[in-house]
Amino acid sequence: MIEGPHVCIMPTISQNHNKMDSKLIGKIILAMVEENEQLTIPTFIAFIRQEFGYTITYRTTWLAKQ
């Protein structure tokens, strides 16, 4: 057993979740895209980060928007 305080240097998760592929992201952002096709990839990345705590890649997001 490791004793002492937890010393993780990353306060939030900053990588893709292994289940958050472009298909799942596409389902999540579908309503947003249907409402406004002009929304940018960084907008969707920020939305996923805010809602789920994960930072997804530009490529994954771009594929999801297609």
Side-chain angles (χ1 to χ4, degrees):
M1 176 183 268
I2 299 174
E3 294 187 25
H6 184 74
V7 291
C8 190
I9 59 171
M10 293 296 292
T12 60
I13 299 169
S14 63
Q15 297 178 332
N16 283 346
H17 186 281
N18 62 352
K19 301 291 185 190
M20 290 192 112
D21 62 4
S22 60
K23 289 181 182 181
L24 177 60
I25 300 302
K27 290 177 184 178
I28 293 169
I29 66 171
L30 179 60
M32 295 170 69
V33 173
E34 290 176 340
E35 186 175 316
N36 183 355
E37 292 181 11
Q38 301 303 314
L39 289 173
T40 65
I41 300 301
T43 301
F44 298 122
I45 293 171
F47 173 77
I48 296 297
R49 184 182 310 122
Q50 180 182 7
E51 293 296 313
F52 300 99
Y54 292 100
T55 302
I56 55 177
T57 65
Y58 189 97
R59 181 180 189 280
T60 299
T61 311
W62 182 84
L63 290 170
K65 189 177 178 186
Q66 305 309 307

